[in-house]
Amino acid sequence: YCGLTSLAMVLNALSVDPGRNWKGGWRWFSEEMFTCCEPLEEVKKKGTTITRLACVAACNGARAIRTHADSSLSLGQLRSAVIYASKQKEYFLIGAYCRKALNQVGGGHFSPLAGYHEPNDAVLIMDVARFKYPAHWVPLKNMWQGMQA
Protein backbone atom coordinates (compact mmCIF):
# COMPACT_ATOMS: atom_id res chain seq x y z
CA TYR A 1 0.00 0.00 0.00
CA CYS A 2 3.01 2.33 0.17
CA GLY A 3 2.29 3.84 -3.25
CA LEU A 4 -1.31 4.64 -2.38
CA THR A 5 -0.33 5.89 1.08
CA SER A 6 2.26 8.19 -0.52
CA LEU A 7 -0.35 9.49 -2.94
CA ALA A 8 -2.84 10.10 -0.10
CA MET A 9 -0.18 12.06 1.79
CA VAL A 10 0.59 14.20 -1.27
CA LEU A 11 -3.05 14.86 -2.22
CA ASN A 12 -3.83 15.85 1.37
CA ALA A 13 -0.80 18.18 1.43
CA LEU A 14 -2.06 19.75 -1.81
CA SER A 15 -5.51 20.25 -0.20
CA VAL A 16 -7.19 18.33 -3.00
CA ASP A 17 -10.81 17.69 -2.00
CA PRO A 18 -11.63 13.98 -2.29
CA GLY A 19 -15.30 14.83 -2.88
CA ARG A 20 -16.38 12.60 -0.02
CA ASN A 21 -15.85 12.29 3.70
CA TRP A 22 -13.10 10.13 5.12
CA LYS A 23 -14.34 9.71 8.71
CA GLY A 24 -17.03 11.82 10.28
CA GLY A 25 -16.86 15.22 8.62
CA TRP A 26 -13.19 14.96 7.66
CA ARG A 27 -12.49 15.25 3.96
CA TRP A 28 -9.08 13.63 3.63
CA PHE A 29 -7.81 11.02 1.24
CA SER A 30 -7.02 7.54 2.48
CA GLU A 31 -5.87 4.47 0.57
CA GLU A 32 -9.27 2.78 0.41
CA MET A 33 -10.65 5.74 -1.57
CA PHE A 34 -8.41 4.95 -4.55
CA THR A 35 -10.64 2.63 -6.52
CA CYS A 36 -9.75 3.62 -10.08
CA CYS A 37 -7.07 2.15 -12.39
CA GLU A 38 -6.60 -1.11 -10.47
CA PRO A 39 -8.51 -3.12 -7.85
CA LEU A 40 -7.41 -2.49 -4.26
CA GLU A 41 -7.16 -6.24 -3.66
CA GLU A 42 -4.53 -6.43 -6.42
CA VAL A 43 -2.58 -3.58 -4.87
CA LYS A 44 -2.68 -5.35 -1.49
CA LYS A 45 -1.28 -8.54 -3.05
CA LYS A 46 1.18 -7.22 -5.63
CA GLY A 47 1.74 -3.53 -4.96
CA THR A 48 1.53 -0.98 -7.73
CA THR A 49 3.67 0.63 -10.40
CA ILE A 50 4.60 4.25 -11.01
CA THR A 51 2.40 4.21 -14.13
CA ARG A 52 -0.66 3.01 -12.22
CA LEU A 53 0.05 5.42 -9.40
CA ALA A 54 0.07 8.31 -11.89
CA CYS A 55 -3.28 7.03 -13.24
CA VAL A 56 -4.79 7.01 -9.72
CA ALA A 57 -3.43 10.51 -9.11
CA ALA A 58 -5.01 11.79 -12.32
CA CYS A 59 -8.44 10.32 -11.57
CA ASN A 60 -8.33 12.00 -8.17
CA GLY A 61 -7.61 15.52 -9.34
CA ALA A 62 -3.82 15.71 -9.50
CA ARG A 63 -1.54 16.29 -12.45
CA ALA A 64 1.10 13.60 -12.32
CA ILE A 65 4.32 13.63 -14.29
CA ARG A 66 5.99 10.23 -14.47
CA THR A 67 9.73 10.06 -14.73
CA HIS A 68 11.36 6.67 -14.69
CA ALA A 69 14.72 6.57 -12.96
CA ASP A 70 16.45 4.55 -15.61
CA SER A 71 19.85 5.26 -17.09
CA SER A 72 18.48 8.39 -18.79
CA LEU A 73 17.92 10.11 -15.41
CA SER A 74 21.17 11.61 -14.20
CA LEU A 75 22.02 12.33 -10.60
CA GLY A 76 22.03 16.03 -11.50
CA GLN A 77 18.52 15.83 -12.93
CA LEU A 78 17.25 14.13 -9.78
CA ARG A 79 18.99 16.77 -7.64
CA SER A 80 17.35 19.56 -9.68
CA ALA A 81 13.91 17.95 -9.29
CA VAL A 82 14.34 17.49 -5.53
CA ILE A 83 15.56 21.07 -5.05
CA TYR A 84 12.69 22.43 -7.16
CA ALA A 85 10.06 20.38 -5.32
CA SER A 86 11.42 21.36 -1.92
CA LYS A 87 10.87 25.05 -2.76
CA GLN A 88 7.35 24.76 -4.20
CA LYS A 89 3.93 24.50 -2.58
CA GLU A 90 2.21 22.78 -5.49
CA TYR A 91 4.86 20.29 -6.57
CA PHE A 92 5.66 17.03 -4.80
CA LEU A 93 7.85 14.06 -5.58
CA ILE A 94 7.09 10.46 -4.77
CA GLY A 95 10.15 8.28 -5.06
CA ALA A 96 9.95 4.65 -6.16
CA TYR A 97 13.06 2.91 -4.92
CA CYS A 98 14.61 -0.31 -3.67
CA ARG A 99 15.03 -0.32 0.10
CA LYS A 100 17.94 -2.76 -0.12
CA ALA A 101 19.96 -0.17 -2.05
CA LEU A 102 19.61 2.08 1.03
CA ASN A 103 20.63 -0.75 3.39
CA GLN A 104 17.06 -1.05 4.63
CA VAL A 105 14.81 -4.05 5.19
CA GLY A 106 12.39 -4.75 2.35
CA GLY A 107 12.23 -4.46 -1.40
CA GLY A 108 10.48 -1.98 -3.68
CA HIS A 109 8.95 0.99 -1.93
CA PHE A 110 7.26 4.37 -2.53
CA SER A 111 7.55 7.42 -0.26
CA PRO A 112 7.27 11.19 -0.67
CA LEU A 113 10.55 13.08 -0.98
CA ALA A 114 10.16 16.23 1.04
CA GLY A 115 13.35 18.20 1.30
CA TYR A 116 16.92 18.76 0.25
CA HIS A 117 19.95 19.50 2.43
CA GLU A 118 22.60 21.06 0.21
CA PRO A 119 25.64 20.81 2.54
CA ASN A 120 25.18 17.02 2.77
CA ASP A 121 23.60 16.57 -0.68
CA ALA A 122 20.81 14.63 1.02
CA VAL A 123 17.10 14.10 0.42
CA LEU A 124 14.45 13.83 3.15
CA ILE A 125 12.28 10.72 2.77
CA MET A 126 8.91 10.96 4.51
CA ASP A 127 8.63 7.20 4.87
CA VAL A 128 5.00 6.08 4.85
CA ALA A 129 5.89 2.82 6.62
CA ARG A 130 6.60 4.63 9.88
CA PHE A 131 6.52 1.35 11.81
CA LYS A 132 9.78 0.48 10.00
CA TYR A 133 11.45 3.85 9.45
CA PRO A 134 10.59 7.39 10.52
CA ALA A 135 11.30 10.31 8.23
CA HIS A 136 15.02 10.18 7.44
CA TRP A 137 17.76 11.81 5.40
CA VAL A 138 19.54 9.80 2.72
CA PRO A 139 22.48 10.86 0.56
CA LEU A 140 21.00 11.83 -2.79
CA LYS A 141 23.41 9.56 -4.65
CA ASN A 142 22.17 6.56 -2.64
CA MET A 143 18.55 7.50 -3.37
CA TRP A 144 19.34 7.81 -7.08
CA GLN A 145 20.97 4.38 -7.03
CA GLY A 146 17.96 2.98 -5.14
CA MET A 147 15.63 4.43 -7.75
CA GLN A 148 17.59 2.75 -10.52
CA ALA A 149 17.74 -0.65 -8.80
Side-chain angles (χ1 to χ4, degrees), residues 75-130:
L75 177 59
Q77 289 170 315
L78 177 59
R79 182 178 296 107
S80 293
V82 170
I83 291 170
Y84 181 80
S86 68
K87 295 179 179 180
Q88 304 299 314
K89 293 179 183 178
E90 301 86 22
Y91 188 83
F92 287 83
L93 293 175
I94 296 175
Y97 58 98
C98 176
R99 281 194 181 278
K100 290 179 184 174
L102 302 180
N103 295 317
Q104 297 178 347
V105 175
H109 189 57
F110 290 92
S111 276
L113 307 181
Y116 178 71
H117 187 254
E118 187 174 0
N120 292 333
D121 195 30
V123 62
L124 178 60
I125 300 175
M126 301 298 289
D127 205 312
V128 294
R130 289 182 206 101

Side-chain angles (χ1 to χ4, degrees), residues 8-147:
M9 184 184 280
V10 166
L11 291 176
N12 289 332
L14 287 168
S15 298
V16 175
D17 185 348
R20 55 200 176 279
N21 290 350
W22 170 55
K23 291 182 181 179
W26 299 103
R27 293 173 74 92
W28 296 108
F29 279 98
S30 64
E31 300 87 347
E32 59 275 354
M33 291 180 173
F34 299 130
T35 56
C36 63
C37 302
E38 62 184 326
L40 287 176
E41 288 305 313
E42 284 294 309
V43 177
K44 284 181 186 177
K45 291 178 193 171
K46 299 179 183 178
T48 192
T49 65
I50 197 76
T51 300
R52 289 191 194 129
L53 193 61
C55 175
V56 175
C59 30
N60 284 282
R63 183 173 154 253
I65 301 168
R66 290 179 293 121
T67 301
H68 292 274
D70 55 20
S71 60
S72 66
L73 180 72
S74 72
L75 177 59
Q77 289 170 315
L78 177 59
R79 182 178 296 107
S80 293
V82 170
I83 291 170
Y84 181 80
S86 68
K87 295 179 179 180
Q88 304 299 314
K89 293 179 183 178
E90 301 86 22
Y91 188 83
F92 287 83
L93 293 175
I94 296 175
Y97 58 98
C98 176
R99 281 194 181 278
K100 290 179 184 174
L102 302 180
N103 295 317
Q104 297 178 347
V105 175
H109 189 57
F110 290 92
S111 276
L113 307 181
Y116 178 71
H117 187 254
E118 187 174 0
N120 292 333
D121 195 30
V123 62
L124 178 60
I125 300 175
M126 301 298 289
D127 205 312
V128 294
R130 289 182 206 101
F131 61 94
K132 280 187 178 180
Y133 299 99
H136 55 282
W137 291 95
V138 171
L140 188 67
K141 185 174 184 179
N142 294 11
M143 184 64 185
W144 176 67
Q145 291 169 334
M147 293 172 84

